[in-house]
Amino acid sequence: MKQILNIAHYEVIQIFKDRILLLIVFVVPLLYVSLLGMIYASSILQHVPLGIVDLDNSVESRAVVSAFENTNNFQVIPGINTYANLEKGMKNGTIRAGVVIPEDYSQRLSQHQLTQILTVYDGSNLIYGYNTRRYFQQVLNTFSADHTAAYLGGLGMSKQEITYVMDSVSFSMQVWYNPNYSYTTFIFMGLVIIVLHQIGLMGIGLSVTREKERNSWIQYLCAAVPQWKIFMGKALPYFIVNFFNYSLLLWVAARCVNVKIEGSLALILLLGLIFNIIITSLGFIISLYAPNSLQVTRYLMLLSIPLFFISGYTWPGTHMPVYLNGLGKLMPYTWMSEGLRLVTVKDLGFYYLDITLIMMGIIAAVTSFFALTFSKRRNPVVEDGVMVNSGINYPGKNSW
């Protein structure tokens, strides 16, 4: 145990000596999540810029305009009085949706003829498009119901009779787990986990390559210290910091960004514990076999975007090509992000996460095995290529 603590103490000293690494390990995760939290702070998309072209300009058409003005979901932009202005506003982005009331609206309404109101919305941004369509349905359904009730009242029907007619067929719609359609609840925790994934790998991924570049890794290889103690000593500081970051970022997400986080605290911590074991083991393995620190950063930068998208967190894996879905199932991020969603958003327990825990346990066992039993055979130092954390030497003129 003393040998492990000595190696861990040395690693802590190296972290604090390297200002960039210190920032990466301690500051960057919170900085990234704070930035993402400010981006998604509104949670629900409201006040969609709306242009209304009232070609009828009657009492009846102004009632339609009032229906859109009296909701927080839309913000009516003045000055959109022609179809050409509507098109221009949609092109330059000043408005995201439009309503066109035909010039014969009141006339057809008085004659009890089918009257159509044109609604358009910008589908180039799916977040705007999906929410705008839903808001249109809410406003127009309410307006149509009120108009029908007023018409039936004009025919002499009592309020009770109108109620019977209007409610002759009804339906109940419930939205489970995310009733407010909060985009933050949908996306934010996935971004938090990818930040922890990449920063965690980055921190420990530089631990061995730094020693290689300083030619001090041979001290570990030649010392009478078993491989598992070297791994434990090197990984311990990063394991503690990563788990602290995991807990801190969950707290920030729940308290500051208002992300829905429910479910068993024990299960949330268990997922974080297994995920942390995977990250520290995998990062150590990468650092063992990467030729230098620059290669580690390159690999991790290239992996971050594919990992996020093939995980199925934003787009269902069942609707991906089979080989991509299968590849995603081999990645720890896939299981961690989905498992955390099942717990925090759906409030599910151990029974529903058995496959997730088993798969993460298998990945943790495999990565830990290779990290604990690495070969102490020394590989030659890679002389080619740019290196970082390599000391105080600078390239000479002959290097260029």
Side-chain angles (χ1 to χ4, degrees):
M1 187 64 184
K2 184 177 180 181
Q3 290 177 323
I4 295 176
L5 294 178
N6 286 337
I7 296 174
H9 178 258
Y10 168 80
E11 192 65 27
V12 170
I13 293 175
Q14 297 305 312
I15 292 174
F16 279 90
K17 286 175 62 177
D18 189 332
R19 294 182 180 180
I20 300 299
L21 182 59
L22 183 66
L23 290 175
I24 291 175
V25 172
F26 285 97
V27 179
V28 170
L30 182 59
L31 179 64
Y32 278 10
V33 170
S34 298
L35 175 62
L36 294 171
M38 288 186 287
I39 293 173
Y40 295 108
S42 59
S43 179
I44 301 173
L45 185 68
Q46 289 184 312
H47 306 293
V48 176
L50 175 71
I52 301 180
V53 180
D54 185 359
L55 300 177
D56 190 50
N57 198 25
S58 61
V59 174
E60 291 80 3
S61 65
R62 284 194 290 272
V64 177
V65 176
S66 297
F68 284 99
E69 290 177 336
N70 295 330
T71 175
N72 290 328
N73 295 328
F74 290 105
Q75 179 183 358
V76 178
I77 305 299
I80 310 298
N81 48 19
T82 65
Y83 193 85
N85 288 340
L86 177 63
E87 283 186 318
K88 182 179 179 181
M90 292 283 279
K91 289 178 180 178
N92 60 31
T94 55
I95 60 174
R96 292 287 183 170
V99 175
V100 180
I101 305 173
E103 56 186 7
D104 59 348
Y105 173 77
S106 58
Q107 179 183 350
R108 296 179 67 86
L109 202 64
S110 63
Q111 296 173 357
H112 311 301
Q113 297 179 355
L114 178 62
T115 306
Q116 290 185 336
I117 296 175
L118 175 64
T119 58
V120 296
Y121 58 88
D122 186 353
S124 62
N125 185 313
L126 291 181
I127 304 302
Y128 264 118
Y130 169 74
N131 285 280
T132 302
R133 180 176 181 176
R134 183 165 58 90
Y135 297 156
F136 271 145
Q137 291 174 340
Q138 292 174 355
V139 173
L140 293 177
N141 287 344
T142 301
F143 179 81
S144 179
D146 292 342
H147 172 74
T148 303
Y151 172 71
L152 294 177
L155 295 178
M157 296 181 66
S158 65
K159 184 176 181 180
Q160 186 176 10
E161 290 174 330
I162 294 174
T163 302
Y164 286 149
V165 172
M166 298 290 291
D167 296 339
S168 57
V169 178
S170 63
F171 67 92
S172 175
M173 182 175 64
Q174 297 180 348
V175 180
W176 290 6
Y177 309 126
N178 190 10
N180 295 326
Y181 295 96
S182 170
Y183 192 73
T184 304
T185 297
F186 164 65
I187 196 69
F188 192 78
M189 290 311 302
L191 298 176
V192 168
I193 298 303
I194 198 65
V195 168
L196 292 171
H197 184 281
Q198 295 302 102
I199 298 301
L201 287 178
M202 178 76 72
I204 192 169
L206 299 176
S207 61
V208 176
T209 54
R210 178 182 63 242
E211 306 292 349
K212 293 178 184 177
E213 293 162 1
R214 295 175 178 175
N215 207 24
S216 58
W217 180 234
I218 191 172
Q219 299 177 20
Y220 293 91
L221 301 181
C222 297
V225 181
Q227 296 95 316
W228 68 270
K229 286 188 176 181
I230 296 176
F231 164 67
M232 294 290 288
K234 282 284 188 181
L236 185 60
Y238 300 99
F239 181 87
I240 294 173
V241 173
N242 291 344
F243 197 77
F244 169 78
N245 285 334
Y246 174 73
S247 305
L248 175 63
L249 298 188
L250 286 180
W251 182 86
V252 170
R255 294 299 181 92
C256 303
V257 192
N258 296 320
V259 177
K260 179 183 179 182
I261 298 181
E262 298 179 352
S264 168
L265 179 60
L267 189 51
I268 294 174
L269 294 178
L270 177 61
L271 286 170
L273 180 65
I274 300 175
F275 184 67
N276 201 3
I277 292 173
I278 296 172
I279 294 303
T280 50
S281 302
L282 187 59
F284 184 77
I285 294 171
I286 293 173
S287 192
L288 282 173
Y289 295 101
N292 52 56
S293 300
L294 182 60
Q295 295 296 343
V296 173
T297 58
R298 284 175 174 174
Y299 297 151
L300 294 181
M301 287 178 63
L302 290 174
L303 284 175
S304 59
I305 294 177
L307 278 176
F308 184 72
F309 286 108
I310 70 172
S311 68
Y313 191 84
T314 58
W315 184 257
T318 54
H319 291 68
M320 296 181 190
V322 176
Y323 67 92
L324 284 181
N325 188 28
L327 181 62
K329 295 295 184 183
L330 298 176
M331 305 298 175
Y333 173 79
T334 301
W335 297 101
M336 178 60 187
S337 58
E338 183 60 23
L340 195 62
R341 172 184 277 171
L342 294 177
V343 179
T344 58
V345 178
K346 291 190 173 183
D347 194 7
L348 301 182
F350 284 88
Y351 177 79
Y352 294 94
L353 273 80
D354 52 353
I355 300 299
T356 300
L357 293 172
I358 290 172
M359 290 302 300
M360 289 184 65
I362 292 174
I363 298 173
V366 171
T367 53
S368 298
F369 172 78
F370 285 105
L372 291 166
T373 60
F374 69 93
S375 173
K376 294 184 71 174
R377 184 180 63 183
R378 184 190 180 194
N379 295 321
V381 178
V382 177
E383 300 293 343
D384 298 332
V386 181
M387 296 185 294
V388 296
N389 295 331
S390 54
I392 60 175
N393 296 326
Y394 293 89
K397 293 183 179 179
N398 297 330
S399 302
W400 300 97

